[in-house]
Amino acid sequence: MIQRNELPQWQALAAHFEQVRERHIRELFAADSSRGSRYAAEACGLYLDYSKNRITDETLPLLVDLADACGLRQAIDDMFAGAHINRTEDRAVLHVALRAARQASIVTRAEDEPAPYNTVAKVWEVLDRMVEFAGKVRSGEWRGATGKPIRNVVNIGIGGSDLGPKMAYEALKAYSQRDLRIEFVSNVDGSHLAETLRGMDPAETLFIICSKTFTTQETMANAESARNWLALSLGGAAVAKHFVAVSTAAAEVRAFGIDLANMFGFWEWVGGRYSLWSAVGLATMLGIGPENFLAMLGGAREMDEHFRTAPFGENLPVILALLGVWYNNFFGAESHAILPYDQYLHRFSAHLQQVDMESNGKSVGKDGRPVAWQTGPVIWGEPGTNGQHAFYQLIHQGTKLIPADFIGFCQSQNPVGGHHAKLMANFFAQTEALAFGLPAEEVPATFPKTPAELVPHKTFAGNRPTNTLLAAKLDPHTMGALMALYEHRIFVQGVIWNVFSFDQWGVQLGKVLAQKVLAEIEAAKLPELKHDSSTNTLIARFRKLA
Ligand code: F6P
C-alpha cells in the first residue's frame, strides 16, 4: 500500500509548504482586504474564523485533496454505518448513535449480541431510564436508606468515565440545580476520595460507579472504600439505595453488590473517551437536568449531520483537522493549544487531552508498520485570561510554533459589571497580537521611551497561527456541538495519519507492571526484586520509608 507521505497529494503539500513557509500573515492580510471574512465557516451556532493561519488560497484545497486521497469520505460513511472500524478490537465506533434522533436507525453487530440490532433504539431505552432516575433524584422522590433525599452525588470513575462527564458538568454548571452537589473522584490516591467525602452526610449521598469494564484498578479501589464509608454509618443493606452503576459489564456490577435494576448500561461500540453522551453522562444529567442534557445531545447531533454532509472545504471539523495536519506534518509543530475564554470550560483541554492523545498518540499505521510521519500532537491549554499571565509569553516570543484555538462567547452566563467586555477584549487582542506581532520600527509607538537596546526584547515576530471559534452563548446545544466538533476533528486526523484512533493499547503495559509492583510493595517481607537497578532501588527505598 502506498504510504501517506508518498502520495502525490502529500508531496504537493510539501512543495506548497516551501512557498508558504516564509510568508507572513501580515503580508497575507495586506494583500487581501476580504481575508478576514472569506476564511470563515459557520455551522451549529459556531463561527470559525481561520484567516489568521499561515495559508494561502491554494492551501485548503490541497489539504482537501489529501483528505480525498486518504479516503476520508468513505471513512466517515463507514463510521456512521456502524462498520467495525476499530479493527484491533473488532468493534464499531458509534458515539454518533448516542446522540442520534429517537426515530433514527444505525444497525451494527457487537461481540456479545447474537444478531445485528438497531443501536439507536437501545440508546433511547437507557436515556429514558436515566431521565426517569434523574427526575426522581432531583425532585427528592428517590430517598436514601434513612429516608433523606439525596444532596450529594459522587461519580467514581477515571479517564473517559471521569474527564468527559466532569468537563460537561462544569461547562454547563450555570444550568445546574444548585442544591444538588455533584463531585467526581478519579485518582486512586486516597486523598481524592477522603477530601471529597469530608463533611458529607452518607445518608444524603449517592455514588455512581462509572466504569466501562468495571475492573479498572483505581475505580474499583475508590468504589470499595466508598462502600465501606457508607456501610460504616448506615450498614451494608444501605448500599442498594446509595449506589448505582454505569457499565457494560453486568456480571461485575452484580458481583460488586449493585442491583442490576440500578445499573445503566452502554455498549462495547462506545469508546471510553467518547462516552460522555451515554449513561456515563449520568452525573452530568443529574447536575444540569435531563432537558439540558438532551439539548446537549441535540447540539452534537447537529454537528454530526454537518460533519457527515457538508463539503470538506466548508466542514468545520474537517477544516480544523486539516489545518492541524498542515502545522503538525509540514511546519513541524509539536503541540496544539486549546484556549477557551470561558471559565466554565476550565476542564475542556483536560478532556480533549484524553480524547485526542489517547486516540491519535500512535506510531504504528493500520498496516502494522511504523509510520514515517508525525501523528497526534501534544494537546494542552488553560482558560484565558489566566493563560496570558502564565505561558503565553512562550507562544508570543518563544522559539516554538504553537498553533492555538481560541474559543469565546458573545454573551456571558454571569454579566457582572464590565467583566465580559474585558474578557473578550483580551480574546480578540491576543489573536491579533499573535498574528501581526510588533515590528521593531513600531515598538516606540506602542511602548514609548523604549531604549534602543530593549527594542529587540519588545519586538514580536508575529506569524503565530490561531483559529477563532465564536458562538453566541455557552448553552447546552452549543456545548454539544463544540465537543462533537473536536471529536470529529480527531477522527479526520486519524484517517489522514492512517492510525487506528479507537484503541488504546499504549495504556496496558503500565497497568500490568503496576500489578506486579503492587504485590512487591504489599508483601510482608521484601521479595527479591528483578526490575532494573533504578526501579529496584526506588521500590526498596519506598518500602523503608512507607
Ligand atoms: O486509560 C485507559 C482507559 O481504558 C481509558 O480509555 C478509559 O476511559 C479508562 O481507562 C477507564 O476505563 P473504564 O471505564 O473501563 O473504567
Side-chain angles (χ1 to χ4, degrees):
M1 192 183 125
I2 181 157
Q3 295 293 314
R4 292 302 196 236
N5 57 349
E6 292 162 2
L7 287 168
Q9 292 81 359
W10 185 288
Q11 285 161 9
L13 278 160
H16 177 62
F17 169 69
E18 292 306 323
Q19 292 158 9
V20 174
R21 63 187 303 176
E22 300 303 338
R23 301 197 60 183
H24 200 289
I25 294 175
R26 209 183 300 131
E27 168 207 330
L28 297 170
F29 269 86
D32 173 9
S33 60
S34 64
R35 184 177 171 97
S37 52
R38 270 196 322 116
Y39 284 50
E42 191 169 4
C44 318
L46 297 171
Y47 177 80
L48 167 66
D49 174 345
Y50 59 96
S51 61
K52 295 187 183 92
N53 276 290
R54 295 172 68 171
I55 56 173
T56 66
D57 281 359
E58 287 82 53
T59 316
L60 193 56
L62 285 171
L63 285 161
V64 168
D65 287 348
L66 176 65
D68 287 334
C70 295
L72 180 60
R73 169 54 51 211
Q74 186 64 47
I76 295 173
D77 291 347
D78 286 348
M79 175 169 74
F80 277 83
H84 282 209
I85 59 170
N86 176 0
R87 288 219 302 271
T88 62
E89 297 178 311
D90 192 18
R91 290 175 178 173
V93 173
L94 279 177
H95 41 280
V96 293
L98 300 173
R99 56 247 186 165
R102 192 184 281 274
Q103 64 280 7
S105 170
I106 303 179
V107 174
T108 198
R109 181 173 185 167
E111 197 182 28
D112 55 350
E113 300 281 345
Y117 61 95
N118 179 11
T119 54
V120 181
K122 295 227 180 204
V123 163
W124 279 93
E125 261 171 45
V126 177
L127 275 174
D128 287 341
R129 283 186 56 225
M130 288 166 64
V131 168
E132 193 192 336
F133 177 71
K136 283 186 184 159
V137 173
R138 286 166 61 87
S139 68
E141 187 190 332
W142 180 282
R143 302 266 160 172
T146 66
K148 284 187 172 180
I150 299 300
R151 300 255 173 262
N152 315 303
V153 173
V154 182
N155 185 86
I156 294 182
I158 197 165
S161 300
D162 167 72
L163 288 161
K166 181 174 165 71
M167 178 280 297
Y169 168 66
E170 295 289 337
L172 297 173
K173 213 173 195 168
Y175 296 82
S176 68
Q177 180 171 315
R178 301 288 178 170
D179 58 357
L180 190 61
R181 181 174 158 198
I182 312 285
E183 297 286 348
F184 293 80
V185 173
S186 53
N187 201 328
V188 73
D189 182 342
S191 302
H192 199 176
L193 186 69
E195 285 296 345
T196 306
L197 299 185
R198 197 180 298 283
M200 270 189 195
D201 178 357
E204 297 181 336
T205 302
L206 176 77
F207 290 97
I208 303 174
I209 311 304
C210 190
S211 173
K212 183 174 175 180
T213 54
F214 232 70
T215 56
T216 303
Q217 185 198 53
E218 295 91 330
T219 300
M220 297 329 292
N222 278 322
E224 274 159 33
S225 299
R227 188 175 53 189
N228 293 343
W229 175 82
L230 188 103
L232 199 63
S233 53
L234 301 181
V239 168
K241 286 283 173 199
H242 294 267
F243 276 74
V244 300
V246 171
S247 188
T248 59
E252 282 77 3
V253 168
R254 197 188 293 113
F256 181 84
I258 296 177
D259 188 344
L260 292 192
N262 295 331
M263 169 179 159
F264 298 86
F266 61 113
W267 307 272
E268 65 168 34
W269 38 263
V270 182
R273 51 195 177 272
Y274 298 89
S275 65
L276 69 94
W277 320 96
S278 71
V280 168
L282 185 61
T284 313
M285 186 192 273
L286 282 163
I288 65 173
E291 212 174 292
N292 290 317
F293 190 86
L294 295 178
M296 185 181 86
L297 298 190
R301 182 185 314 141
E302 203 182 322
M303 182 55 75
D304 293 342
E305 202 47 23
H306 167 74
F307 176 53
R308 202 176 61 79
T309 57
F312 291 161
E314 298 159 25
N315 193 310
L316 263 61
V318 175
I319 295 171
L320 285 182
L322 293 177
L323 290 169
V325 168
W326 181 231
Y327 296 115
N328 189 64
N329 296 96
F330 297 94
F331 280 83
E334 292 278 332
S335 78
H336 186 94
I338 306 288
L339 307 170
Y341 276 63
D342 194 300
Q343 186 57 27
Y344 286 115
L345 288 180
H346 69 107
R347 295 297 293 164
F348 193 54
S349 43
H351 165 64
L352 285 186
Q353 245 168 12
Q354 187 203 10
V355 191
D356 200 316
M357 293 165 79
E358 204 167 73
S359 296
N360 287 338
K362 314 283 166 67
S363 52
V364 170
K366 290 182 180 169
D367 56 3
R369 288 161 54 188
V371 294
W373 48 90
Q374 287 291 311
T375 61
V378 176
I379 300 292
W380 61 287
E382 278 290 318
T385 59
N386 295 8
Q388 290 174 210
H389 298 272
F391 52 79
Y392 277 35
Q393 164 67 41
L394 186 147
I395 307 183
H396 280 286
Q397 286 189 317
T399 53
K400 294 177 171 54
L401 179 73
I402 302 181
D405 293 354
F406 280 69
I407 304 167
F409 301 90
C410 301
Q411 298 156 35
S412 169
Q413 295 284 3
N414 298 286
V416 184
H419 289 234
H420 197 60
K422 292 187 176 76
L423 174 72
M424 294 307 285
N426 278 282
F427 176 78
F428 298 119
Q430 286 297 324
T431 59
E432 186 180 4
L434 287 164
F436 297 94
L438 186 67
E441 62 274 17
E442 291 175 21
V443 167
T446 305
F447 303 118
K449 298 189 190 139
T450 297
E453 68 273 20
L454 287 192
V455 168
H457 301 283
K458 296 194 175 189
T459 298
F460 290 70
N463 220 11
R464 267 68 170 164
T466 59
N467 296 306
T468 298
L469 278 164
L470 187 62
K473 193 173 180 178
L474 182 55
D475 59 22
H477 185 276
T478 305
M479 191 57 210
L482 185 66
M483 292 186 286
L485 165 67
Y486 277 93
E487 288 180 349
H488 295 320
R489 173 186 187 272
I490 292 162
F491 174 84
V492 173
Q493 293 188 332
V495 171
I496 306 278
W497 295 326
N498 198 33
V499 295
F500 286 120
S501 298
F502 298 100
D503 59 22
Q504 57 286 317
W505 301 108
V507 301
Q508 295 305 333
L509 177 60
K511 287 186 192 174
V512 172
L513 292 181
Q515 287 297 349
K516 192 170 161 202
V517 175
L518 180 61
E520 292 162 352
I521 286 178
E522 290 185 333
K525 194 168 150 282
L526 179 66
E528 188 195 346
L529 298 174
K530 292 189 180 145
H531 306 271
D532 56 276
S533 60
S534 158
T535 311
N536 286 347
T537 310
L538 290 167
I539 293 173
R541 186 176 176 84
F542 170 79
R543 280 195 55 128
K544 211 182 281 169
L545 298 177

